[in-house]
Amino acid sequence: MSQYFDMGDVTLWNPSNGASRMFRRQVAVFEAELGLGSGIGPMEWDECQIDPVAFAAFVDALLVLHRRTSHAIVLALSEGFTATVVVLAERAGIRVDWERLGGAPDGPREDVQVSAAGMAAPPSGRSWSTGLREQAARLERRMPRQ
């Protein structure tokens, strides 16, 4: 069994029921964290529609939130979901502005982890988005459309 995440007549993703259920529950978590709807509609008859305008705003807000944190646990908990959303956005033709997001974060940092080792940061020579982009590329190959 599987479910369909569609934008109009185009299927963006066709995961198993379990993966779909877990993803939709995470959508609700991040909608609450961001105070913003995702544009991902309810699952009815194994199909849900994604509103492109609302989803584009959600993707941007999610990436800004991800960029503003340096907390290792928050990053670990959110990177898989964020990478999955990036794949869906790219399949939907939503442009992710990696250059803007790759610079200094807009606004103050949130969920900063300070320890004896300092704040979590990407390894030398890598930007904050490198790992996320690599994970999204790996998922792109594994996320079935149909």
Side-chain angles (χ1 to χ4, degrees), residues 3-22:
Q3 298 185 325
Y4 294 86
F5 289 82
D6 299 331
M7 190 171 283
D9 293 335
V10 176
T11 297
L12 302 178
W13 188 27
N14 178 226
S16 68
N17 290 351
S20 173
R21 186 174 49 252
M22 186 177 289

Side-chain angles (χ1 to χ4, degrees), residues 2-6 13-17 19-21 23-24 40-50:
S2 62
Q3 298 185 325
Y4 294 86
F5 289 82
D6 299 331
W13 188 27
N14 178 226
S16 68
N17 290 351
S20 173
R21 186 174 49 252
F23 176 74
R24 287 182 289 112
I40 298 174
M43 188 61 67
E44 298 173 341
W45 299 100
D46 292 331
E47 297 178 355
C48 81
Q49 283 292 318
I50 299 175

Side-chain angles (χ1 to χ4, degrees), residues 13-72:
W13 188 27
N14 178 226
S16 68
N17 290 351
S20 173
R21 186 174 49 252
M22 186 177 289
F23 176 74
R24 287 182 289 112
R25 286 180 176 151
Q26 288 181 321
V27 166
V29 167
F30 284 93
E31 285 175 330
E33 283 296 311
L34 294 169
L36 180 68
S38 65
I40 298 174
M43 188 61 67
E44 298 173 341
W45 299 100
D46 292 331
E47 297 178 355
C48 81
Q49 283 292 318
I50 299 175
D51 176 279
V53 174
F55 188 58
F58 179 78
V59 170
D60 187 62
L62 179 64
L63 289 169
V64 167
L65 175 70
H66 185 79
R67 177 65 181 105
R68 284 186 183 162
T69 188
S70 65
H71 196 288

Side-chain angles (χ1 to χ4, degrees), residues 103-128:
D106 298 333
R109 287 224 179 247
E110 298 173 4
D111 287 316
V112 176
Q113 179 177 353
V114 180
S115 67
M119 293 191 314
S124 180
R126 290 172 56 107
S127 78
W128 78 273

